[in-house]
Amino acid sequence: MAEAPAPARIPAPAQTPDPASAPDAAGPARALAEAPAPARVPVSAQTPDPDPASASDDAAAPADAQTPDPAPGYLAVFRVREFRWVFGAHLLSLLGLVVSELALTVLVYDLTRSPLLSSLTFALGFLPYLLGGTLLAGLADRHPPRRVLVVCDLICAGAVALMVLPATPVAGLLALRCAVAAVAPVFQGTRMATLADILGDGDLFVLGRSLLRIVSQSALLAGFGVGGVLLTVVPARGAIAVTAATFLLSALLLRLGTARRPARAAETREGLGATWSLLRDRRIRGLMLLFWVPPLFVVVPEALAAPYADELGVSTAALGLLMCALPVGTIAGELLAGAVLRPATRVRLVAPLLLAGFLPFLLYALRPGPALAALALVLAGATGAYTLGLDARFVAAVPEERRGRAMTLMTAGMMTVQGLGMAGAGLAAEFVPVHLVVAGAGLLATVILAVLLATEGRDGADRHMTSR
């Protein structure tokens, strides 16, 4: 399943599983919170439970996993064999998700000739995230992570397979779309937590998360193109059938390529109270908001790209330029930060990048042409590299036994606010010129982030004084 533009902790003592299928994949530990910390290899990555299906050499922790890489980079992440299986599964499920969204939208429109129902198909990809992320978040810690990941992929494959049946009515298609979206945050939160088991709590985890985000952003550029080509060869239901196979292959890769690890909190039967307790923690709540606020506003220029192109009277090629600019900037920014910057530097740059991230939106107040507007969006996207440093802070703040729940909740919130941001942008554009809506979003986001960062700074100072 896809990564949330997803996607995201001081670990508590980990459980020690039985030896047998240990992945030789655990990487060095990464920098925690505000400064680099000594390396730590998670116990769950050292000696997972025995399982012949996953007891290959793709799954055992090497001795050098306890020695930090003096110059970690993206290639170091790919040297972790278990991560390569996760990465391959991510590619397959992401391809399936993107193509199924496009094919399902085409199918619903062909059946109903209703633009409203067709667009609702996309909207339903966001709305169930809140429900699934809150009610189902506990599953990420209550059950073995590999089982959760495989079952989620199988649910998606089953739902997509039912979409292929000619007897499935339009209401059923939309309901099945909701089912896929409801399990998505559980899948993504569990995968994020499992990455910390595979790569350690160090910088390799940050870079691994970054790679999954980069792939997700790239899918926005290439996925719909692949889907469009596929739909010229096969009908919509045929394209959906292909995506069912990608989910099944993803489940197979996760089953065979990842180690069997115990549940983080198998004996705990916590309900919504545990979710609210995470939000009551000022540190965790503040970091969650820093993950949630930017997506709420960053979708505004994308949601209004078509109206803005119409306002300027430019071609569809210019519209494509506006739609691609933000993902291109995001990919470039993450690659540069991950390859060049040290872990401590990335953490220090979180606040400056967050504050600078929406300033390019203010250029829209001048009603720029498509080239200048696209440049502004590329610059805004490049500041998305703040997520690498923010991941480090988040992994240092969340107890390990609630890691899956916290990441599921964080992912659900990010996807939900994107849907709200799109709806809010459209509503505002009904009353205010599009270029002013985008500029206003940039100004409002900068003010809110400044307040949140100031609050987090005071909380950090309070904790420092209390600990003395």
Side-chain angles (χ1 to χ4, degrees):
M1 303 187 55
E3 174 76 5
R9 321 168 199 184
I10 293 175
Q15 306 174 48
T16 306
D18 298 332
S21 61
D24 60 337
R30 70 165 183 154
L32 298 177
E34 289 78 7
R40 168 188 175 275
V41 179
V43 177
S44 54
Q46 298 172 17
T47 53
D49 288 343
D51 186 348
S54 63
S56 67
D57 60 350
D58 284 306
D64 62 355
Q66 302 183 30
T67 303
D69 190 333
Y74 288 116
L75 291 180
V77 180
F78 280 112
R79 286 198 294 268
V80 180
R81 296 179 181 178
E82 195 175 2
F83 175 79
R84 295 200 295 267
W85 289 83
V86 174
F87 186 80
H90 177 65
L91 286 175
L92 286 169
S93 62
L94 184 61
L95 176 64
L97 190 65
V98 173
V99 174
S100 65
E101 284 180 347
L102 178 61
L104 184 60
T105 301
V106 172
L107 177 60
V108 169
Y109 184 74
D110 287 344
L111 293 174
T112 64
R113 292 296 165 183
S114 169
L116 174 61
L117 290 177
S118 180
S119 62
L120 184 61
T121 305
F122 268 115
L124 289 176
F126 291 98
L127 300 180
Y129 263 79
L130 181 61
L131 182 65
T134 53
L135 298 183
L136 305 179
L139 298 177
D141 294 320
R142 196 179 305 153
H143 300 282
R146 186 178 66 181
R147 182 189 305 168
V148 174
L149 294 174
V150 171
V151 168
C152 285
D153 261 342
L154 292 178
I155 290 174
C156 290
V160 171
L162 290 175
M163 295 177 188
V164 178
L165 300 177
T168 305
V170 173
L173 293 174
L174 298 179
L176 291 169
R177 177 72 181 93
C178 286
V180 172
V183 301
V186 180
F187 180 94
Q188 294 168 12
T190 304
R191 183 181 57 201
M192 288 164 58
T194 303
L195 279 183
D197 298 332
I198 295 172
L199 300 174
D201 293 333
D203 195 51
L204 285 189
F205 168 80
V206 175
L207 296 177
R209 282 271 294 133
S210 174
L211 278 171
L212 297 188
R213 280 194 301 266
I214 289 170
V215 170
S216 298
Q217 289 291 333
S218 300
L220 296 177
L221 301 175
F224 289 121
V226 172
V229 171
L230 185 61
L231 287 171
T232 64
V233 180
V234 298
R237 290 188 191 274
I240 294 174
V242 172
T243 66
T246 65
F247 284 120
L248 289 175
L249 287 173
S250 172
L252 184 64
L253 288 181
L254 291 170
R255 178 62 182 82
L256 299 179
T258 60
R260 180 182 176 185
R261 295 179 172 87
R264 294 179 182 82
E267 304 302 322
T268 305
R269 291 292 184 270
E270 297 177 311
L272 286 177
T275 300
W276 302 132
S277 69
L278 286 172
L279 295 176
R280 284 195 296 269
D281 185 298
R282 286 194 305 172
R283 170 69 166 165
I284 296 175
R285 184 176 64 247
L287 293 172
M288 287 260 193
L289 289 172
L290 290 178
F291 274 111
W292 291 345
V293 170
L296 176 65
F297 294 99
V298 81
V299 297
V300 171
E302 290 184 310
L304 299 179
Y308 187 64
D310 182 63
E311 183 179 287
L312 295 177
V314 296
S315 65
T316 54
L319 172 60
L321 180 66
L322 293 175
M323 292 294 291
C324 293
L326 199 62
V328 166
T330 301
I331 294 170
E334 286 223 25
L335 283 174
L336 183 64
V340 176
L341 301 181
R342 306 297 297 177
T345 304
R346 296 191 214 114
V347 173
R348 287 195 297 269
L349 286 177
V350 168
L353 289 175
L354 278 170
L355 291 176
F358 290 93
L359 296 181
F361 283 18
L362 301 181
L363 186 63
Y364 269 76
L366 304 177
R367 201 169 176 267
L372 195 55
L375 176 60
L377 295 179
V378 168
L379 293 175
T383 64
Y386 75 85
T387 51
L388 279 77
L390 199 56
D391 277 339
R393 294 185 181 182
F394 195 66
V395 76
V398 178
E400 185 177 0
E401 66 274 10
R402 290 188 174 177
R403 180 180 289 163
R405 181 187 295 270
M407 293 186 172
T408 298
L409 180 62
M410 185 263 283
T411 300
M414 289 176 66
M415 294 301 294
T416 301
V417 298
Q418 287 184 67
L420 293 175
M422 291 178 180
L427 179 62
E430 291 289 331
F431 305 98
V432 180
V434 172
H435 65 286
L436 294 182
V437 173
V438 177
L443 179 61
L444 182 59
T446 303
V447 171
I448 293 175
L449 288 170
V451 172
L452 289 176
L453 289 168
T455 302
E456 193 206 10
R458 287 198 301 271
D459 290 344
D462 290 344
R463 286 192 303 275
H464 177 71
M465 294 299 295
T466 302
S467 64
R468 294 184 63 178

